[in-house]
Amino acid sequence: MTEPVLVGLTTYPAAAGHGPHTPSEYIDAVARAGGVPVLLPHTAADDAGRWAQGWIQRLDALVLIGGGDIAPEHTGLTHDTLYGINPARDRTELALARAAVALHCPTLAICRGLQLLNVAHGGTLHPHLPDVVGELVAHRSAERSATPHPINVAPDSALAALLGETRIHAHSWHHQAAATLGQGLQAIAWADDGVVEALIMTDCPELLAVQWHPELTAGTDARQQALFDEIVRLGKQRRHRAGGCADSAHGEHP
């Protein structure tokens, strides 16, 4: 029997009496790709790094989902538009972003996930895009719903090969974006206003970060679903190299 490909997904904070949760669009996209979604809660404990290492050692792939802004203590940014800050989530997901790269875990980072990845590796963020690039491109709408806009993908990139195109339309909802890139990160896609829309890490080819939300249209757009298909494919390869168990390749749980 084929071992399942376990794909960890980060979660939104608890709300309205419910525990941490992940929007169904992410879960469905992973399931369509053949992966088994595993929801990862966040912790307020000081040992978030130990949690992250343990998860990455046991998972085959990781999806860092979207969400609120990262706390100023990690970014150095303050702005009156900051929203959704959750220190426990930041601590846990920054540790996950570092552990995934260190252990070469296939990772798809989405929106907030791209920003986390950049900050985790020493990069900076634009605090509020309209202040920096104006409103030529609508990266989010006033109605708090995703808005579509075109994205230009580097022709020689693996992302262009995966999507089959170098100019796509995707749905976004964000007001921050990568400014100075973190160590080892390289931009491979941009909006028409120059905002970075996708990153790779030169020494971790298993990682892809996109600023848009592929999960929102993955059910009807094969190009967006391809991002989830690819992360599950890479996770399957990682499991195979580990002999069917992620632990055997990366050591025991700390």
Side-chain angles (χ1 to χ4, degrees):
M1 180 177 173
T2 303
E3 289 285 337
V5 177
L6 302 180
V7 181
L9 295 103
T10 51
T11 53
Y12 281 100
H18 299 287
H21 62 285
T22 299
S24 60
E25 291 90 347
Y26 295 101
I27 296 170
D28 292 344
V30 168
R32 277 193 300 269
V36 176
V38 179
L39 305 192
L40 307 178
H42 33 270
T43 175
D46 292 334
D47 62 348
R50 185 174 69 87
W51 281 45
Q53 289 281 335
W55 280 331
I56 295 301
Q57 287 169 348
R58 280 171 162 73
L59 294 168
D60 302 306
L62 174 69
V63 179
L64 295 168
I65 73 168
D69 292 328
I70 305 167
E73 66 185 271
H74 302 295
T75 64
L77 302 177
T78 57
H79 199 279
D80 58 10
T81 59
L82 294 181
Y83 75 101
I85 290 172
N86 185 284
R89 186 180 182 191
D90 289 346
R91 186 180 301 111
T92 303
E93 294 182 4
L94 286 167
L96 275 169
R98 295 182 182 109
V101 170
L103 296 177
H104 288 269
C105 179
T107 298
L108 175 59
I110 295 172
C111 195
R112 166 189 162 91
L114 179 149
Q115 296 167 20
L116 270 162
L117 183 76
N118 195 45
V119 170
H121 294 89
T124 63
L125 303 179
H126 293 304
H128 188 58
L129 285 176
D131 295 345
V132 180
V133 297
E135 299 187 14
L136 171 67
V137 175
H139 292 277
R140 70 175 181 181
S141 72
E143 289 74 30
R144 295 182 64 86
S145 60
T147 182
H149 66 78
I151 293 167
N152 305 297
V153 183
D156 59 348
S157 66
L159 178 59
L162 188 64
L163 296 172
E165 296 185 40
T166 58
R167 186 169 171 86
I168 63 168
H169 280 73
H171 284 67
S172 293
W173 202 95
H174 64 102
H175 77 112
Q176 296 188 337
T180 302
L181 299 187
Q183 184 174 4
L185 290 169
Q186 175 185 345
I188 57 167
W190 304 263
D192 287 347
D193 57 7
V195 168
V196 172
E197 290 284 346
L199 296 173
I200 57 171
M201 181 161 277
T202 53
D203 60 354
C204 187
E206 304 91 345
L207 180 145
L208 172 64
V210 297
Q211 186 59 66
W212 71 89
H213 280 271
E215 79 286 354
L216 294 178
T217 55
T220 56
D221 187 340
R223 292 166 301 182
Q224 302 301 326
Q225 180 60 38
L227 303 185
F228 295 92
D229 295 344
E230 178 68 1
I231 208 67
V232 170
R233 184 187 72 82
L234 291 172
K236 187 177 297 185
Q237 288 185 349
R238 184 177 192 240
R239 174 165 286 275
H240 179 73
R241 289 195 302 269
C245 177
D247 286 275
S248 64
H250 304 296
E252 296 299 320
H253 189 292

